[in-house]
Amino acid sequence: MSNQEKRPKILYSCYAQKSSEGEQFIPNHSVGLVITGASEIFIGGEKFVFSDGDFRFFRRNQLARYTKYPPAGGEFKSISINIDQEILHSISNEYDLHMQKPNHDIKGLALEANGLLKNYIDSIWPYLDGNNEFNQALIDLKVKEAVMILLQTTPILKDVLFDFSEPGKIDLEAYMNANYKFNVDINRFAYLTGRSLATFKRDFEKIFNLSPNRWLQKKRLNDAYYLLTEKGWKSSDVYLEVGFKDLSHFSFAFKKAYGMAPSRVGI
DNA sequence: AGATCTACAGGATTTACACC
DNA sequence: GGTGTAAATCCTGTAGATCT
C-alpha cells in the first residue's frame, strides 16, 4: 500500500530567495544537477554539499533537510530526475539486472561529472518548459536512459537501484528520536519504520506510553521550551524550528502545556 | 509589527469487531 | 497472539479577528 504521489518525473527548480530552507521526504531515487547556486542537504546524520555543476544521486525513502543558496544576484537552479519503482522494475526484467547484496550505506552521492551525464542533461532541456505536452513514453525513456547511465558510470548503484525491499521493522525508539523534528504525517513514519499504520500505533504506544502525535508534540514543545529559556529565542523563530506549522497554534499548544504564553517564558 | 484567541474542516485516535 | 478495517470521537492545523 505504498502511497504513490503524483510528482513530475523530470523537474526543474529555480529559486531567487536569499536562501530557502525546508524538509522533504524523498519517495524515489533521484539523480540531478545543480546548475547555479549551492545546496546543503542533511540526510540521516550525513551532510552533503553541492554547488554549480555538481551531479548528485539520492536514495529513496529518506527524510532530508536542505538549504538552497542562490549565487550573488542570481537564482538557485537545479534539475532532478525522479526514478520511480515501476521503471526500475521494468528495466530489471528487460535486462535481467538484479541487486547482488543490499547496500544501505549510500544515502546520497556526488557523481563524477563525465561526458555521458553532461550530454544527458543537455538532452533534457527540451522537456523542461513544455509542461505536460510530452508523451509519457518519451519521458519514461529519458528516465530509463538516466538509469542506464548511472549503471554505466557508477556501478555500485546497482545494489541501490534494484533494491526493491520495503523498509524493515526498524527500531522505532531510535528512529523516532532521530527524526521527530520532521513534520511529516504519521502514515509516513509508519511506512518508514516498516509497519502498517495500526501496528505502528500499537508499537508506539508500547514504547513511549503515548500516542504518536502526543509524543511528537511533547518532544517539540520540550525543544521549544529549551530554545526559549536557555537560548533566548523569540517564539516567532522557535515554532518553525521545532516543527510547528503555525504560530497561532504553537502559542495555543504551548500555553496549554506550560501554563504560560511562549513570549513570557524566557523572562 | 508580533502575539494570542476563536471557530471549524479535516486529519488523528479510540473503540469495536472481523480475520488468520 | 498478532493484525487490519470502520465508525465515532477527539484534536490539530488554519484563517481570521482581536489584543499588546
Side-chain angles (χ1 to χ4, degrees):
Chain A
M1 51 134 248
S2 54
N3 38 348
Q4 290 289 345
E5 49 236 75
K6 291 232 177 80
R7 56 175 59 215
K9 294 189 179 180
I10 298 175
L11 188 69
Y12 174 63
S13 358
C14 180
Y15 297 95
Q17 289 161 285
K18 281 272 172 290
S19 75
S20 74
E21 286 183 55
E23 56 187 39
Q24 201 195 340
F25 174 67
I26 309 174
N28 290 318
H29 301 302
S30 80
V31 59
L33 163 71
V34 175
I35 302 163
T36 54
S39 66
E40 281 177 4
I41 294 119
F42 293 87
I43 300 178
E46 262 185 77
K47 180 183 178 183
F48 299 91
V49 181
F50 300 102
S51 57
D52 306 45
D54 287 342
F55 287 90
R56 54 194 182 165
F57 172 84
F58 294 114
R59 184 199 191 87
R60 74 189 173 105
N61 283 346
Q62 301 191 94
L63 292 167
R65 197 173 284 277
Y66 62 84
T67 312
K68 294 167 175 174
Y69 303 98
E75 292 169 326
F76 176 89
K77 291 179 187 168
S78 70
I79 290 181
S80 53
I81 289 100
N82 264 292
I83 307 168
D84 63 73
Q85 294 299 96
E86 203 184 322
I87 286 180
L88 285 166
H89 268 117
S90 79
I91 295 174
S92 173
N93 291 333
E94 192 173 346
Y95 299 97
D96 198 26
L97 290 162
H98 303 280
M99 166 182 80
Q100 251 70 57
K101 59 170 197 262
N103 180 339
H104 295 294
D105 297 333
I106 295 176
K107 297 178 171 121
L109 265 190
L111 303 168
E112 196 196 330
N114 55 47
L116 268 178
L117 276 171
K118 283 180 181 164
N119 282 313
Y120 172 74
I121 291 292
D122 283 343
S123 76
I124 283 292
W125 280 107
Y127 293 81
L128 299 175
D129 16 87
N131 11 21
N132 290 332
E133 295 304 314
F134 285 96
N135 184 331
Q136 193 57 49
L138 211 48
I139 292 174
D140 284 355
L141 274 174
K142 272 296 166 194
V143 176
K144 227 168 172 177
E145 187 182 347
V147 173
M148 300 316 273
I149 290 172
L150 282 177
L151 290 170
Q152 172 75 37
T153 60
T154 321
I156 44 166
L157 285 181
K158 190 169 129 184
D159 287 335
V160 175
L161 289 166
F162 297 117
D163 181 350
F164 295 115
S165 60
E166 305 269 296
K169 272 202 184 190
I170 60 170
D171 182 348
L172 198 57
E173 188 170 12
Y175 189 84
M176 290 311 296
N177 277 307
N179 293 299
Y180 70 91
K181 281 189 185 179
F182 285 94
N183 197 358
V184 299
D185 62 35
I186 306 296
N187 259 307
R188 196 149 270 167
F189 275 130
Y191 173 68
L192 289 171
T193 54
R195 294 160 171 84
S196 73
L197 191 57
T199 305
F200 174 76
K201 284 175 177 166
R202 282 193 256 262
D203 286 357
F204 200 98
E205 193 83 28
K206 262 184 248 164
I207 296 169
F208 297 105
N209 292 316
L210 279 173
S211 62
N213 258 24
R214 276 165 233 241
W215 181 85
L216 281 170
Q217 191 185 73
K218 200 173 149 194
K219 268 294 223 196
R220 288 167 179 161
L221 285 174
N222 237 322
D223 284 3
Y225 189 84
Y226 169 77
L227 289 173
L228 287 163
T229 55
E230 304 296 321
K231 298 274 182 179
W233 284 37
K234 288 185 299 178
S235 38
S236 49
D237 295 328
V238 168
Y239 80 98
L240 282 175
E241 173 67 22
V242 300
F244 278 82
K245 282 182 181 161
D246 183 77
L247 178 57
S248 68
H249 185 248
F250 168 69
S251 25
F252 182 74
F254 191 93
K255 189 167 185 181
K256 203 169 156 193
Y258 290 95
M260 52 178 133
S263 59
R264 239 156 289 187
V265 148
I267 308 160

